[in-house]
Amino acid sequence: MKYSSILKAFSLLFISLLATSCFSEKTHKQPKLVLQITVDALRGDLPNRFNKVLGEGGFRYLMNQGLHYSNAHYQHANTETIVGHASLATGTIPAAHGMVGNVWFDREQGRLVYNIEDPEYHLLSANSDVDQKTEIDHTQKTAKSDGRSPNNILTSTLSDEMAMHFAGRSKIFAVSIKDRGAVSMAGHAGKAFWFSKANGEFVTSNYYYKKYPNWVTQWNADKPASVYAGKSWTLLHSAEKYMFADADNREYETDIAGFGRTFPHEYGKVDDKYYTTKLTLSPAGDDLTLNFAKTLIDSENLGLDDVPDYLAISFSSTDYVGHVFGASSLESEDNIARLDRTLADLFSFIDNKIGLDNTLIVLSADHGQPEAPGYLHELGINKAHYFDVDALDKTPAITALKKKFGIAKGLIEAYFHPYIYLNQKLIHEKKLNQAAIEKAVAEELMKFKGVAYAVSSTALRTASLPDTVMIRSILSNFHAKRSGDIYLVYEPDVFINDFDGLTVTSSHGSPWRYDTFVPVMFAGAGLSAAKNTRFITPYDIAPTIAAYLGVKTPSGAIGNPLREVLNK
Ligand SMILES: [Zn+2]
């Protein structure tokens, strides 16, 4: 055979291989709706762990009739809400999408900023105010303005790609209790609604609308949040069904005034200062989210024509309940049982309206969840403890460093998990070497009990650091304009529990496996049931849906389409 004919034969073979690998994927019909569910802080093991309290049609539908990936982990270090949501939306790491934390220090403004705050816009609501009744969601207090927009998200989202591909004909919406849970998923082209603790309404900003759609005004006028007044959060099943039936009253749980540590948890009166906050600390928050989402599906006629629509729903209660009571508590167990009913309700509603066969469903989480130190102590795991960061700048080691470099005033400008921001102005004025100070501070921090790593950003940028999983995860989180000067990683089971004076039971945000571990479940759209234990990342989700729809991948995406979803 002549060389040219061999070449021809090979190229023909190559073309046919290409055809089978790429073009056979689009054998399915286009879904009418992409439903992306995010359960805030749903650690990957939790649905199976609490299997005994689950019913039919919720998690069991996803796990038994869908594709369940049980070994999915984030690769970035700062496992926080906006970081995970933005990663799900964009299919990439914070180094690319830019959402490095719930809060970061903006050097230009010289202050801490909240991830999606945007002074160019304002909250679109007649009677809400900036000072939300938020005691748990401390991070929002950082924001100077009540304006919210996706402008800080630097790469495109899956929803943006759908908008571009379908020439703006896809209807794109996102709903969540948390503003950042909705704004991130709606992307730059969609519409976002979130819950205002100030007035118990679902709100948006004038980035999205000039005026509320009538159905939203009507929904708010009906005051669905007020129906919980005088009621309480009780157990869904009889107590003996629960793994944690005998562990309701634990002194390490956060005792919120009037809500308490044990069932029933009273919501109190509508005009109680913390009424709406209590709703979010219980399954009521997810109920309200479902209620609003169902009205949205109806009112906006989602999934009724041939152009695929997109709806993201982020359920926040699992996260708040975890922070307050811990992942291993009767409250967390009952919350999962009730979330399961919420999901079953949502799926049956969609089945009636649109058909599950016409709906591509994906469920995942923005991050996992740690165990509360108190729970670990009960099991004899005594090394678990809380880390006091408040006194960092005044510790003898840092004081000695300041003396060495001739700095009297604060060397540490700000600390907000996970970054320490040095006083660069001071360092510059004194003509000191920033890299040398970062290195010296990092070395001192490494000596603290409970600190696993302290990595200098200059070192990340310039030095040849060892290629370890930890360093890679910190690099994945690194954005030159937003990251701080030193990344602080605590040892496993060591946490900060003090947020602006409020003590919580547990907090996620580490690169450890309990925080990176999330479920990934695809269902509907005629997908066959399968369980998969191979290692995947949540960055794969957006590229998978993009490939499924035949739209291009989001601009910064690093994940790979999951072949099991495409080759059904
Ligand atoms: Zn959280």
Side-chain angles (χ1 to χ4, degrees):
M1 199 184 262
K2 277 204 320 225
Y3 179 73
S4 63
S5 39
I6 295 173
L7 205 69
K8 204 171 164 188
F10 265 111
S11 55
L12 277 173
L13 179 69
F14 181 70
I15 287 165
S16 69
L17 276 177
L18 204 71
T20 30
S21 65
C22 295
F23 303 120
S24 64
E25 288 163 6
K26 284 243 29 176
T27 51
H28 53 258
K29 66 175 190 247
Q30 202 70 297
K32 289 175 184 293
L33 177 68
V34 173
L35 175 65
Q36 182 158 23
I37 301 169
T38 307
V39 178
D40 207 308
L42 184 69
R43 200 176 60 207
D45 61 309
L46 293 181
N48 263 326
R49 185 194 191 195
F50 295 139
N51 194 21
K52 264 179 79 179
V53 295
L54 303 182
E56 295 304 319
F59 278 117
R60 283 185 188 162
Y61 163 70
L62 297 172
M63 293 193 288
N64 301 335
Q65 292 180 56
L67 269 162
H68 179 195
Y69 295 91
S70 58
N71 189 21
H73 287 269
Y74 284 103
Q75 305 285 284
H76 56 257
N78 187 20
T79 45
E80 288 186 334
T81 308
I82 188 59
V83 191
H85 276 88
S87 300
L88 289 169
T90 61
T92 192
I93 50 177
H97 63 62
M99 306 307 270
V100 298
N102 281 337
V103 169
W104 63 81
F105 188 81
D106 184 307
R107 296 272 183 203
E108 271 177 33
Q109 296 184 59
R111 67 173 184 98
L112 290 169
V113 294
Y114 177 60
N115 55 83
I116 51 162
E117 74 169 283
D118 188 338
E120 297 291 312
Y121 299 95
H122 59 80
L123 203 63
L124 191 67
S125 177
N127 50 356
S128 54
D129 52 65
V130 190
D131 183 27
Q132 298 211 341
K133 288 180 194 171
T134 165
E135 53 172 326
I136 296 298
D137 214 346
H138 61 285
T139 51
Q140 288 193 15
K141 280 187 182 167
T142 312
K144 258 194 162 174
S145 133
D146 66 354
R148 301 285 182 267
S149 89
N151 281 340
N152 280 337
I153 302 172
L154 303 174
T155 58
S156 72
T157 60
L158 168 72
S159 49
D160 290 339
E161 295 299 335
M162 287 177 68
M164 288 185 249
H165 184 91
F166 296 106
R169 282 186 292 226
S170 283
K171 293 171 190 156
I172 296 164
F173 290 95
V175 179
S176 178
I177 287 290
K178 295 184 182 179
D179 53 11
R180 56 192 182 276
V183 170
S184 50
M185 306 310 288
H188 305 80
K191 308 278 190 199
F193 293 102
W194 58 92
F195 185 69
S196 162
K197 286 176 194 158
N199 58 17
E201 296 180 353
F202 271 83
V203 296
T204 188
S205 85
N206 66 341
Y207 173 89
Y208 303 100
Y209 289 97
K210 288 197 169 58
K211 185 177 165 289
Y212 277 98
N214 287 339
W215 67 265
V216 179
T217 309
Q218 187 55 50
W219 192 91
N220 284 330
D222 290 346
K223 303 227 164 291
S226 66
V227 303
Y228 303 91
K231 295 188 181 153
S232 46
W233 172 17
T234 55
L235 290 176
L236 179 67
H237 305 295
S238 53
E240 66 275 8
K241 256 198 135 174
Y242 295 83
M243 186 188 284
F244 288 100
D246 298 329
D248 192 10
N249 193 8
R250 287 290 185 268
E251 64 176 25
Y252 53 80
E253 295 178 347
T254 315
D255 190 355
I256 295 191
F259 201 55
R261 295 201 306 245
T262 56
F263 281 95
H265 296 280
E266 315 264 340
Y267 295 123
K269 293 187 198 144
V270 169
D271 54 1
D272 282 356
K273 196 176 171 204
Y274 294 125
Y275 175 74
T276 51
T277 300
K278 285 184 226 167
L279 298 183
T280 65
L281 304 182
S282 77
D286 287 348
D287 279 354
L288 284 166
T289 309
L290 171 70
N291 184 326
F292 188 82
K294 279 159 71 171
T295 310
L296 189 158
I297 292 169
D298 256 348
S299 310
E300 298 287 348
N301 297 316
L302 294 193
L304 295 189
D305 60 24
D306 288 340
V307 180
D309 296 329
Y310 175 88
L311 174 64
I313 307 177
S314 176
F315 291 111
S316 309
S317 297
T318 303
D319 180 71
Y320 290 126
V321 171
H323 278 293
V324 172
F325 301 102
S328 295
S329 61
L330 186 57
E331 284 81 2
S332 277
E333 189 174 8
D334 189 66
N335 172 68
I336 296 294
R338 289 185 178 274
L339 170 66
D340 179 59
R341 294 301 82 212
T342 298
L343 292 175
D345 187 337
L346 174 66
F347 297 152
S348 94
F349 180 83
I350 286 180
D351 201 22
N352 286 334
K353 292 270 161 193
I354 302 162
L356 290 176
D357 264 6
N358 293 319
T359 307
L360 178 64
I361 303 170
V362 61
L363 180 144
S364 190
D366 53 346
H367 51 75
Q369 223 185 108
E371 294 296 344
Y375 176 68
L376 295 174
H377 294 166
E378 283 178 1
L379 301 172
I381 304 170
N382 292 321
K383 69 180 182 63
H385 65 95
Y386 296 116
F387 187 89
D388 179 18
V389 288
D390 282 354
L392 220 51
D393 193 46
K394 294 180 189 72
T395 54
I398 302 293
T399 309
L401 269 181
K402 285 197 268 187
K403 215 170 163 190
K404 184 183 162 192
F405 290 108
I407 296 172
K409 281 197 288 174
L411 176 62
I412 295 172
E413 173 106 52
Y415 172 74
F416 206 101
H417 179 83
Y419 291 108
I420 288 174
Y421 299 81
L422 298 179
N423 192 335
Q424 289 184 355
K425 216 172 133 207
L426 196 69
I427 292 168
H428 188 74
E429 274 166 20
K430 299 237 167 216
K431 296 194 170 57
L432 296 166
N433 182 322
Q434 164 94 18
I437 296 184
E438 278 180 29
K439 188 165 177 273
V441 173
E443 275 170 8
E444 282 308 320
L445 290 171
M446 289 280 279
K447 294 175 190 163
F448 280 71
K449 182 174 177 272
V451 171
Y453 297 95
V455 186
S456 137
S457 285
T458 307
L460 279 180
R461 254 184 300 223
T462 55
S464 46
L465 291 169
D467 183 23
T468 62
V469 171
M470 183 61 66
I471 295 294
R472 260 179 275 150
S473 77
I474 296 170
L475 258 175
S476 296
N477 220 92
F478 181 75
H479 187 272
K481 290 182 182 163
R482 294 177 183 175
S483 290
D485 298 306
I486 293 151
Y487 195 110
L488 202 55
V489 179
Y490 302 108
E491 283 168 4
D493 304 323
V494 175
F495 315 100
I496 321 168
N497 73 328
D498 178 37
F499 289 111
D500 291 350
L502 178 91
T503 305
V504 290
T505 301
S506 69
S507 49
H508 50 84
S510 81
W512 304 113
R513 287 297 166 253
Y514 47 76
D515 280 344
T516 61
F517 183 27
V518 293
V520 175
M521 299 167 182
F522 280 87
L527 288 176
S528 322
K531 298 206 186 302
N532 209 304
T533 55
R534 77 184 168 91
F535 179 83
I536 64 157
T537 72
Y539 316 116
D540 296 333
I541 293 172
T544 300
I545 301 172
Y548 191 94
L549 298 175
V551 314
K552 72 184 197 297
T553 45
S555 56
I558 60 156
N560 295 306
L562 296 163
R563 56 180 182 267
E564 297 83 0
V565 179
L566 300 177
N567 302 327
K568 54 169 187 158

